[in-house]
Amino acid sequence: MTDRAMSAASSPGDVAGTGSETGTGQSVSVVLPPVLAALAGDRKLLRLPVPDMTTVAAVLDLLGRDNPVLDRRIRDETRAVRRHVNLFVEGEDVRDLDGVSTEIRPGQELFIIQSVAGG
Amino acid sequence: MSSQQQLPPLVEPGADLTVDEIERYSRHLIIPEVGMTGQRRLKNARVLVIGAGGLGSPALLYLAAAGVGTIGIVDDDVVDTSNLQRQVIHGVDDVGRLKAESARDAVARLNPLVDVVLHVVRLDSTNALDIFSGYDLILDGTDNFATRYLVNDAAAILGKPYVWGSIYRFDGQISVFWDKYGPNYRDLYPEAPPPGSVPSCAEGGVLGMLPASVGSVMVTEAIKLITGTGETLLGRLMIYDSLAMRWREVRVRKDPDAEPITHLVDYEAFCGILPADAADAADSAAISVRELAGMLEARGRGDDDFELIDVREPGEYEIVNIPGSVLVPKAKIIDGDALARFSGRKLVFHCKSGARSAEALAVAQRAGFDSAVHVDGGVAAWVEEIEPAKPSY
């Protein structure tokens, strides 16, 4: 699973390949940084089924349903995205779009990064 | 991504190159984008490298080889054997020496034409502006959030650009921040993660050659900024995953709501180095490794009853552990329910040296484990005083 998951974590422009590889057209890909992947069973790539056009907040709700600790690391008690975590839909920071209300549709990717300080 | 404004060269060309310099830098001189003028800019450039560690090692070597005229090094640490797996500027003979001095000698061996200035201090709010003011450009290769925000704010206040690189295990992030012309670090990450939620290199480990990949990109950006060549990473963040061997790029924009940076603050408080309650807990409920040894003996006889919880990471536990301990990494305790299964028990926490166990202790005390304590000095003190044949790291 890991090898295929990593090879499918494609660049923002490579949308078509993301959904078709598993035959699940109706899903969004969530790509996690390693610090957070540890809280999702060491999975860097998760495919979450979505009915149709949805929002980043709805995808995070779905992600948090099975991974509550991960959810707490991404969002605070008020459901706001933590300030050391950034979310990108197709390479664009959602803070520059509509925040967690930003729309995301099946086949697209939610790319999550978080601040690290090692040197 | 090609919309970046063309930045002017950061540094004016210095004096004409000598015959020796022309020979040494000839492979640069015949690249039109660098050429004689670019090499004279490098000769005239003053670059400050913060941290002569993982990222600093390749950065310093490549800056020196490229002919940067003056290189400053900020580091007050000494070389440890565990550094040599990745900090390639230092060697076995340098163990125990100041990293700054070891790095200076390595630079001199590589390129004696470089002037090296040492700043053997811990960068803080009292010295950062003064040190930075003597340089054109800063490379940030420190290992903690507090210093990273300090570097950002000092550079922004002085209107200077800096190259930021950061690593974790197999992954790296790199950008250029220049508040005068684009985003700064606070636009990307307005706040640091809660203390302890991201393991440091010492706690989480780092692949030895990861700093080479990230550090060499940092120097590439430095050379481009100095010579005014190419398109820099200002406004872009590169994210490197060495396991997948993939680079990704995202945009970084100025946050229109961000407060302007006008003065330095208390960075330890901003990043919450060790929560106050953890510091209190550490002071009030610490036991020594000798006391722990006695307690473990008593437990073996059935005269004492407690749970010894090692809050380090699995890789650290594998290197060395205290017999009779159970591993529960600190993040699992801070995130919530890992302590539930110990309800009603007396808990003794330990880590490598005592900082992480103090944080776990504070969480346990808040959760009602009133008799919980932690081990002063952690497994490091245990190896030193109780089981000296075991490895330290």
mmCIF file of all heavy atoms in Angstrom, chain B residues 64-112:
data_model
loop_
_atom_site.group_PDB
_atom_site.id
_atom_site.type_symbol
_atom_site.label_atom_id
_atom_site.label_comp_id
_atom_site.label_asym_id
_atom_site.label_seq_id
_atom_site.Cartn_x
_atom_site.Cartn_y
_atom_site.Cartn_z
ATOM 1 N N ALA B 64 31.836 28.710 0.747
ATOM 2 C CA ALA B 64 33.283 28.932 0.695
ATOM 3 C C ALA B 64 33.831 28.559 -0.675
ATOM 4 O O ALA B 64 34.599 29.306 -1.284
ATOM 5 C CB ALA B 64 33.971 28.123 1.792
ATOM 6 N N ALA B 65 33.428 27.397 -1.168
ATOM 7 C CA ALA B 65 33.930 26.944 -2.470
ATOM 8 C C ALA B 65 33.520 27.910 -3.572
ATOM 9 O O ALA B 65 34.283 28.148 -4.515
ATOM 10 C CB ALA B 65 33.401 25.542 -2.766
ATOM 11 N N ALA B 66 32.322 28.497 -3.448
ATOM 12 C CA ALA B 66 31.821 29.392 -4.492
ATOM 13 C C ALA B 66 32.524 30.749 -4.477
ATOM 14 O O ALA B 66 32.368 31.529 -5.410
ATOM 15 C CB ALA B 66 30.316 29.596 -4.321
ATOM 16 N N GLY B 67 33.260 31.032 -3.403
ATOM 17 C CA GLY B 67 34.013 32.275 -3.377
ATOM 18 C C GLY B 67 33.315 33.439 -2.706
ATOM 19 O O GLY B 67 33.630 34.600 -2.985
ATOM 20 N N VAL B 68 32.373 33.135 -1.792
ATOM 21 C CA VAL B 68 31.769 34.216 -1.000
ATOM 22 C C VAL B 68 32.871 34.817 -0.118
ATOM 23 O O VAL B 68 33.552 34.097 0.616
ATOM 24 C CB VAL B 68 30.597 33.675 -0.150
ATOM 25 C CG1 VAL B 68 30.177 34.699 0.900
ATOM 26 C CG2 VAL B 68 29.430 33.328 -1.050
ATOM 27 N N GLY B 69 33.062 36.117 -0.200
ATOM 28 C CA GLY B 69 34.232 36.758 0.413
ATOM 29 C C GLY B 69 34.284 36.693 1.919
ATOM 30 O O GLY B 69 35.330 36.427 2.511
ATOM 31 N N THR B 70 33.135 36.926 2.571
ATOM 32 C CA THR B 70 33.103 36.914 4.030
ATOM 33 C C THR B 70 31.954 36.035 4.506
ATOM 34 O O THR B 70 30.806 36.223 4.091
ATOM 35 C CB THR B 70 32.907 38.339 4.599
ATOM 36 O OG1 THR B 70 33.950 39.174 4.085
ATOM 37 C CG2 THR B 70 32.945 38.328 6.110
ATOM 38 N N ILE B 71 32.285 35.081 5.353
ATOM 39 C CA ILE B 71 31.266 34.180 5.903
ATOM 40 C C ILE B 71 31.289 34.297 7.417
ATOM 41 O O ILE B 71 32.331 34.105 8.044
ATOM 42 C CB ILE B 71 31.518 32.717 5.490
ATOM 43 C CG1 ILE B 71 31.492 32.565 3.965
ATOM 44 C CG2 ILE B 71 30.489 31.797 6.130
ATOM 45 C CD1 ILE B 71 31.815 31.152 3.482
ATOM 46 N N GLY B 72 30.146 34.632 7.994
ATOM 47 C CA GLY B 72 30.009 34.646 9.446
ATOM 48 C C GLY B 72 29.367 33.343 9.911
ATOM 49 O O GLY B 72 28.533 32.773 9.209
ATOM 50 N N ILE B 73 29.781 32.867 11.067
ATOM 51 C CA ILE B 73 29.213 31.632 11.615
ATOM 52 C C ILE B 73 28.725 31.923 13.033
ATOM 53 O O ILE B 73 29.500 32.372 13.876
ATOM 54 C CB ILE B 73 30.262 30.500 11.676
ATOM 55 C CG1 ILE B 73 30.889 30.249 10.297
ATOM 56 C CG2 ILE B 73 29.637 29.224 12.233
ATOM 57 C CD1 ILE B 73 32.062 29.265 10.326
ATOM 58 N N VAL B 74 27.435 31.681 13.277
ATOM 59 C CA VAL B 74 26.888 31.808 14.633
ATOM 60 C C VAL B 74 26.664 30.407 15.185
ATOM 61 O O VAL B 74 25.846 29.652 14.652
ATOM 62 C CB VAL B 74 25.539 32.558 14.648
ATOM 63 C CG1 VAL B 74 25.023 32.684 16.080
ATOM 64 C CG2 VAL B 74 25.671 33.929 14.021
ATOM 65 N N ASP B 75 27.390 30.041 16.220
ATOM 66 C CA ASP B 75 27.177 28.739 16.858
ATOM 67 C C ASP B 75 27.947 28.718 18.169
ATOM 68 O O ASP B 75 29.109 29.127 18.202
ATOM 69 C CB ASP B 75 27.660 27.594 15.950
ATOM 70 C CG ASP B 75 26.991 26.269 16.311
ATOM 71 O OD1 ASP B 75 27.069 25.884 17.494
ATOM 72 O OD2 ASP B 75 26.393 25.629 15.428
ATOM 73 N N ASP B 76 27.315 28.263 19.226
ATOM 74 C CA ASP B 76 28.034 28.191 20.504
ATOM 75 C C ASP B 76 28.118 26.747 21.008
ATOM 76 O O ASP B 76 28.515 26.494 22.139
ATOM 77 C CB ASP B 76 27.353 29.073 21.561
ATOM 78 C CG ASP B 76 26.011 28.517 22.014
ATOM 79 O OD1 ASP B 76 25.422 27.690 21.284
ATOM 80 O OD2 ASP B 76 25.542 28.901 23.101
ATOM 81 N N ASP B 77 27.776 25.809 20.114
ATOM 82 C CA ASP B 77 27.737 24.395 20.490
ATOM 83 C C ASP B 77 29.102 23.749 20.218
ATOM 84 O O ASP B 77 29.927 24.301 19.501
ATOM 85 C CB ASP B 77 26.644 23.712 19.648
ATOM 86 C CG ASP B 77 26.189 22.388 20.246
ATOM 87 O OD1 ASP B 77 26.623 22.059 21.362
ATOM 88 O OD2 ASP B 77 25.397 21.689 19.571
ATOM 89 N N VAL B 78 29.302 22.562 20.790
ATOM 90 C CA VAL B 78 30.525 21.810 20.502
ATOM 91 C C VAL B 78 30.179 20.547 19.702
ATOM 92 O O VAL B 78 29.047 20.048 19.744
ATOM 93 C CB VAL B 78 31.287 21.408 21.787
ATOM 94 C CG1 VAL B 78 31.809 22.629 22.516
ATOM 95 C CG2 VAL B 78 30.416 20.562 22.690
ATOM 96 N N VAL B 79 31.159 20.050 18.969
ATOM 97 C CA VAL B 79 30.953 18.870 18.129
ATOM 98 C C VAL B 79 30.804 17.628 19.004
ATOM 99 O O VAL B 79 31.610 17.401 19.916
ATOM 100 C CB VAL B 79 32.144 18.676 17.155
ATOM 101 C CG1 VAL B 79 31.917 17.448 16.272
ATOM 102 C CG2 VAL B 79 32.364 19.929 16.308
ATOM 103 N N ASP B 80 29.760 16.852 18.719
ATOM 104 C CA ASP B 80 29.494 15.611 19.438
ATOM 105 C C ASP B 80 29.622 14.459 18.433
ATOM 106 O O ASP B 80 29.365 14.641 17.241
ATOM 107 C CB ASP B 80 28.068 15.673 20.010
ATOM 108 C CG ASP B 80 27.731 14.451 20.837
ATOM 109 O OD1 ASP B 80 28.086 14.455 22.029
ATOM 110 O OD2 ASP B 80 27.126 13.507 20.301
ATOM 111 N N THR B 81 29.995 13.294 18.909
ATOM 112 C CA THR B 81 30.148 12.147 18.005
ATOM 113 C C THR B 81 28.872 11.886 17.208
ATOM 114 O O THR B 81 28.920 11.533 16.031
ATOM 115 C CB THR B 81 30.504 10.871 18.803
ATOM 116 O OG1 THR B 81 31.699 11.150 19.541
ATOM 117 C CG2 THR B 81 30.759 9.690 17.894
ATOM 118 N N SER B 82 27.703 12.110 17.838
ATOM 119 C CA SER B 82 26.436 11.840 17.147
ATOM 120 C C SER B 82 26.154 12.856 16.042
ATOM 121 O O SER B 82 25.223 12.684 15.263
ATOM 122 C CB SER B 82 25.279 11.839 18.150
ATOM 123 O OG SER B 82 25.084 13.136 18.681
ATOM 124 N N ASN B 83 26.952 13.934 15.944
ATOM 125 C CA ASN B 83 26.781 14.915 14.861
ATOM 126 C C ASN B 83 27.392 14.413 13.552
ATOM 127 O O ASN B 83 27.012 14.859 12.470
ATOM 128 C CB ASN B 83 27.476 16.242 15.191
ATOM 129 C CG ASN B 83 26.942 16.925 16.438
ATOM 130 O OD1 ASN B 83 27.693 17.571 17.145
ATOM 131 N ND2 ASN B 83 25.659 16.778 16.707
ATOM 132 N N LEU B 84 28.393 13.522 13.650
ATOM 133 C CA LEU B 84 29.223 13.225 12.476
ATOM 134 C C LEU B 84 28.478 12.459 11.387
ATOM 135 O O LEU B 84 28.922 12.424 10.241
ATOM 136 C CB LEU B 84 30.465 12.430 12.911
ATOM 137 C CG LEU B 84 31.350 13.128 13.960
ATOM 138 C CD1 LEU B 84 32.550 12.256 14.307
ATOM 139 C CD2 LEU B 84 31.816 14.494 13.468
ATOM 140 N N GLN B 85 27.340 11.872 11.734
ATOM 141 C CA GLN B 85 26.534 11.130 10.756
ATOM 142 C C GLN B 85 25.994 12.056 9.662
ATOM 143 O O GLN B 85 25.639 11.630 8.585
ATOM 144 C CB GLN B 85 25.418 10.408 11.535
ATOM 145 C CG GLN B 85 24.173 10.042 10.784
ATOM 146 C CD GLN B 85 23.043 11.029 11.049
ATOM 147 O OE1 GLN B 85 23.281 12.172 11.473
ATOM 148 N NE2 GLN B 85 21.816 10.588 10.814
ATOM 149 N N ARG B 86 25.937 13.363 9.913
ATOM 150 C CA ARG B 86 25.398 14.295 8.923
ATOM 151 C C ARG B 86 26.132 15.629 8.847
ATOM 152 O O ARG B 86 26.027 16.319 7.844
ATOM 153 C CB ARG B 86 23.910 14.571 9.217
ATOM 154 C CG ARG B 86 23.693 15.313 10.527
ATOM 155 C CD ARG B 86 22.265 15.265 10.995
ATOM 156 N NE ARG B 86 22.096 15.980 12.253
ATOM 157 C CZ ARG B 86 22.479 15.532 13.441
ATOM 158 N NH1 ARG B 86 23.081 14.354 13.544
ATOM 159 N NH2 ARG B 86 22.289 16.243 14.522
ATOM 160 N N GLN B 87 26.855 15.998 9.876
ATOM 161 C CA GLN B 87 27.489 17.327 9.895
ATOM 162 C C GLN B 87 28.901 17.198 9.334
ATOM 163 O O GLN B 87 29.891 17.185 10.064
ATOM 164 C CB GLN B 87 27.449 17.891 11.319
ATOM 165 C CG GLN B 87 26.003 18.017 11.809
ATOM 166 C CD GLN B 87 25.867 18.635 13.192
ATOM 167 O OE1 GLN B 87 26.797 19.224 13.727
ATOM 168 N NE2 GLN B 87 24.672 18.501 13.762
ATOM 169 N N VAL B 88 28.968 17.100 7.994
ATOM 170 C CA VAL B 88 30.187 16.651 7.321
ATOM 171 C C VAL B 88 31.318 17.675 7.333
ATOM 172 O O VAL B 88 32.418 17.376 6.879
ATOM 173 C CB VAL B 88 29.883 16.227 5.861
ATOM 174 C CG1 VAL B 88 28.976 15.004 5.839
ATOM 175 C CG2 VAL B 88 29.228 17.379 5.085
ATOM 176 N N ILE B 89 31.083 18.852 7.844
ATOM 177 C CA ILE B 89 32.165 19.837 7.924
ATOM 178 C C ILE B 89 33.097 19.495 9.094
ATOM 179 O O ILE B 89 34.227 19.954 9.145
ATOM 180 C CB ILE B 89 31.594 21.275 8.055
ATOM 181 C CG1 ILE B 89 32.639 22.300 7.571
ATOM 182 C CG2 ILE B 89 31.126 21.588 9.469
ATOM 183 C CD1 ILE B 89 32.076 23.702 7.380
ATOM 184 N N HIS B 90 32.618 18.682 10.039
ATOM 185 C CA HIS B 90 33.404 18.303 11.211
ATOM 186 C C HIS B 90 33.925 16.867 11.063
ATOM 187 O O HIS B 90 33.309 16.042 10.377
ATOM 188 C CB HIS B 90 32.560 18.381 12.490
ATOM 189 C CG HIS B 90 31.795 19.662 12.632
ATOM 190 N ND1 HIS B 90 32.415 20.883 12.739
ATOM 191 C CD2 HIS B 90 30.456 19.905 12.664
ATOM 192 C CE1 HIS B 90 31.483 21.833 12.836
ATOM 193 N NE2 HIS B 90 30.287 21.268 12.791
ATOM 194 N N GLY B 91 35.048 16.585 11.725
ATOM 195 C CA GLY B 91 35.616 15.239 11.688
ATOM 196 C C GLY B 91 35.817 14.685 13.088
ATOM 197 O O GLY B 91 35.548 15.366 14.086
ATOM 198 N N VAL B 92 36.300 13.456 13.144
ATOM 199 C CA VAL B 92 36.505 12.791 14.439
ATOM 200 C C VAL B 92 37.408 13.621 15.353
ATOM 201 O O VAL B 92 37.153 13.742 16.556
ATOM 202 C CB VAL B 92 37.138 11.393 14.206
ATOM 203 C CG1 VAL B 92 37.560 10.777 15.526
ATOM 204 C CG2 VAL B 92 36.158 10.481 13.504
ATOM 205 N N ASP B 93 38.429 14.227 14.769
ATOM 206 C CA ASP B 93 39.361 15.004 15.592
ATOM 207 C C ASP B 93 38.721 16.265 16.169
ATOM 208 O O ASP B 93 39.303 16.905 17.047
ATOM 209 C CB ASP B 93 40.587 15.415 14.755
ATOM 210 C CG ASP B 93 41.413 14.204 14.351
ATOM 211 O OD1 ASP B 93 41.218 13.131 14.968
ATOM 212 O OD2 ASP B 93 42.225 14.319 13.418
ATOM 213 N N ASP B 94 37.562 16.645 15.634
ATOM 214 C CA ASP B 94 36.910 17.875 16.095
ATOM 215 C C ASP B 94 35.947 17.636 17.256
ATOM 216 O O ASP B 94 35.412 18.602 17.818
ATOM 217 C CB ASP B 94 36.137 18.526 14.935
ATOM 218 C CG ASP B 94 37.052 18.909 13.795
ATOM 219 O OD1 ASP B 94 38.097 19.521 14.065
ATOM 220 O OD2 ASP B 94 36.722 18.590 12.634
ATOM 221 N N VAL B 95 35.699 16.379 17.603
ATOM 222 C CA VAL B 95 34.752 16.097 18.690
ATOM 223 C C VAL B 95 35.220 16.801 19.963
ATOM 224 O O VAL B 95 36.390 16.709 20.340
ATOM 225 C CB VAL B 95 34.623 14.574 18.919
ATOM 226 C CG1 VAL B 95 33.832 14.280 20.201
ATOM 227 C CG2 VAL B 95 33.941 13.919 17.722
ATOM 228 N N GLY B 96 34.311 17.555 20.562
ATOM 229 C CA GLY B 96 34.637 18.315 21.762
ATOM 230 C C GLY B 96 35.047 19.749 21.472
ATOM 231 O O GLY B 96 35.060 20.586 22.375
ATOM 232 N N ARG B 97 35.384 20.058 20.206
ATOM 233 C CA ARG B 97 35.754 21.440 19.855
ATOM 234 C C ARG B 97 34.501 22.266 19.586
ATOM 235 O O ARG B 97 33.431 21.721 19.275
ATOM 236 C CB ARG B 97 36.595 21.467 18.570
ATOM 237 C CG ARG B 97 37.927 20.782 18.658
ATOM 238 C CD ARG B 97 38.662 20.947 17.323
ATOM 239 N NE ARG B 97 39.063 22.332 17.068
ATOM 240 C CZ ARG B 97 39.304 22.837 15.863
ATOM 241 N NH1 ARG B 97 39.151 22.094 14.777
ATOM 242 N NH2 ARG B 97 39.689 24.090 15.728
ATOM 243 N N LEU B 98 34.637 23.576 19.624
ATOM 244 C CA LEU B 98 33.536 24.439 19.204
ATOM 245 C C LEU B 98 33.250 24.194 17.731
ATOM 246 O O LEU B 98 34.176 24.146 16.908
ATOM 247 C CB LEU B 98 33.907 25.906 19.411
ATOM 248 C CG LEU B 98 33.815 26.440 20.844
ATOM 249 C CD1 LEU B 98 34.499 27.790 20.928
ATOM 250 C CD2 LEU B 98 32.360 26.536 21.294
ATOM 251 N N LYS B 99 31.969 24.060 17.393
ATOM 252 C CA LYS B 99 31.603 23.852 15.989
ATOM 253 C C LYS B 99 32.065 25.027 15.127
ATOM 254 O O LYS B 99 32.485 24.840 13.977
ATOM 255 C CB LYS B 99 30.088 23.684 15.852
ATOM 256 C CG LYS B 99 29.567 22.355 16.356
ATOM 257 C CD LYS B 99 28.070 22.223 16.071
ATOM 258 C CE LYS B 99 27.563 20.876 16.567
ATOM 259 N NZ LYS B 99 26.125 20.709 16.321
ATOM 260 N N ALA B 100 31.949 26.224 15.668
ATOM 261 C CA ALA B 100 32.325 27.411 14.892
ATOM 262 C C ALA B 100 33.810 27.339 14.518
ATOM 263 O O ALA B 100 34.183 27.618 13.368
ATOM 264 C CB ALA B 100 32.035 28.680 15.694
ATOM 265 N N GLU B 101 34.652 26.946 15.458
ATOM 266 C CA GLU B 101 36.091 26.891 15.182
ATOM 267 C C GLU B 101 36.427 25.735 14.248
ATOM 268 O O GLU B 101 37.259 25.868 13.342
ATOM 269 C CB GLU B 101 36.872 26.787 16.496
ATOM 270 C CG GLU B 101 36.758 28.064 17.314
ATOM 271 C CD GLU B 101 37.575 28.019 18.603
ATOM 272 O OE1 GLU B 101 38.188 26.969 18.893
ATOM 273 O OE2 GLU B 101 37.577 29.044 19.315
ATOM 274 N N SER B 102 35.787 24.600 14.467
ATOM 275 C CA SER B 102 35.990 23.454 13.575
ATOM 276 C C SER B 102 35.593 23.818 12.146
ATOM 277 O O SER B 102 36.317 23.518 11.180
ATOM 278 C CB SER B 102 35.165 22.268 14.089
ATOM 279 O OG SER B 102 35.025 21.291 13.096
ATOM 280 N N ALA B 103 34.449 24.493 12.002
ATOM 281 C CA ALA B 103 33.971 24.882 10.667
ATOM 282 C C ALA B 103 34.919 25.908 10.039
ATOM 283 O O ALA B 103 35.206 25.855 8.837
ATOM 284 C CB ALA B 103 32.555 25.455 10.768
ATOM 285 N N ARG B 104 35.401 26.841 10.836
ATOM 286 C CA ARG B 104 36.338 27.845 10.319
ATOM 287 C C ARG B 104 37.577 27.150 9.729
ATOM 288 O O ARG B 104 38.048 27.501 8.634
ATOM 289 C CB ARG B 104 36.773 28.791 11.446
ATOM 290 C CG ARG B 104 37.838 29.801 11.018
ATOM 291 C CD ARG B 104 38.534 30.396 12.218
ATOM 292 N NE ARG B 104 39.138 29.343 13.035
ATOM 293 C CZ ARG B 104 39.473 29.500 14.311
ATOM 294 N NH1 ARG B 104 39.257 30.641 14.914
ATOM 295 N NH2 ARG B 104 40.024 28.496 14.976
ATOM 296 N N ASP B 105 38.102 26.145 10.428
ATOM 297 C CA ASP B 105 39.297 25.450 9.939
ATOM 298 C C ASP B 105 38.998 24.705 8.638
ATOM 299 O O ASP B 105 39.825 24.672 7.728
ATOM 300 C CB ASP B 105 39.810 24.476 11.002
ATOM 301 C CG ASP B 105 40.297 25.213 12.247
ATOM 302 O OD1 ASP B 105 40.403 26.463 12.189
ATOM 303 O OD2 ASP B 105 40.558 24.546 13.270
ATOM 304 N N ALA B 106 37.802 24.105 8.568
ATOM 305 C CA ALA B 106 37.438 23.371 7.345
ATOM 306 C C ALA B 106 37.307 24.325 6.162
ATOM 307 O O ALA B 106 37.748 24.020 5.046
ATOM 308 C CB ALA B 106 36.129 22.616 7.563
ATOM 309 N N VAL B 107 36.733 25.493 6.399
ATOM 310 C CA VAL B 107 36.598 26.497 5.334
ATOM 311 C C VAL B 107 37.989 26.946 4.879
ATOM 312 O O VAL B 107 38.262 27.084 3.683
ATOM 313 C CB VAL B 107 35.749 27.697 5.819
ATOM 314 C CG1 VAL B 107 35.885 28.894 4.874
ATOM 315 C CG2 VAL B 107 34.292 27.284 5.948
ATOM 316 N N ALA B 108 38.894 27.158 5.834
ATOM 317 C CA ALA B 108 40.248 27.617 5.489
ATOM 318 C C ALA B 108 40.979 26.570 4.644
ATOM 319 O O ALA B 108 41.727 26.917 3.723
ATOM 320 C CB ALA B 108 41.032 27.912 6.764
ATOM 321 N N ARG B 109 40.761 25.285 4.959
ATOM 322 C CA ARG B 109 41.397 24.231 4.156
ATOM 323 C C ARG B 109 40.857 24.226 2.730
ATOM 324 O O ARG B 109 41.577 23.979 1.773
ATOM 325 C CB ARG B 109 41.157 22.848 4.796
ATOM 326 C CG ARG B 109 42.035 22.564 5.995
ATOM 327 C CD ARG B 109 41.984 21.080 6.374
ATOM 328 N NE ARG B 109 40.653 20.639 6.781
ATOM 329 C CZ ARG B 109 40.177 20.763 8.025
ATOM 330 N NH1 ARG B 109 40.927 21.305 8.973
ATOM 331 N NH2 ARG B 109 38.972 20.350 8.324
ATOM 332 N N LEU B 110 39.558 24.506 2.609
ATOM 333 C CA LEU B 110 38.915 24.465 1.290
ATOM 334 C C LEU B 110 39.234 25.712 0.476
ATOM 335 O O LEU B 110 39.527 25.630 -0.721
ATOM 336 C CB LEU B 110 37.394 24.331 1.490
ATOM 337 C CG LEU B 110 36.499 24.369 0.263
ATOM 338 C CD1 LEU B 110 36.817 23.203 -0.664
ATOM 339 C CD2 LEU B 110 35.035 24.295 0.696
ATOM 340 N N ASN B 111 39.137 26.884 1.119
ATOM 341 C CA ASN B 111 39.343 28.134 0.384
ATOM 342 C C ASN B 111 39.905 29.215 1.309
ATOM 343 O O ASN B 111 39.149 29.942 1.957
ATOM 344 C CB ASN B 111 38.028 28.609 -0.238
ATOM 345 C CG ASN B 111 38.234 29.763 -1.204
ATOM 346 O OD1 ASN B 111 39.314 30.358 -1.247
ATOM 347 N ND2 ASN B 111 37.201 30.082 -1.968
ATOM 348 N N PRO B 112 41.225 29.332 1.340
ATOM 349 C CA PRO B 112 41.846 30.306 2.249
ATOM 350 C C PRO B 112 41.556 31.764 1.875
ATOM 351 O O PRO B 112 41.870 32.671 2.643
ATOM 352 C CB PRO B 112 43.348 30.001 2.126
ATOM 353 C CG PRO B 112 43.500 29.246 0.855
ATOM 354 C CD PRO B 112 42.212 28.533 0.602
#
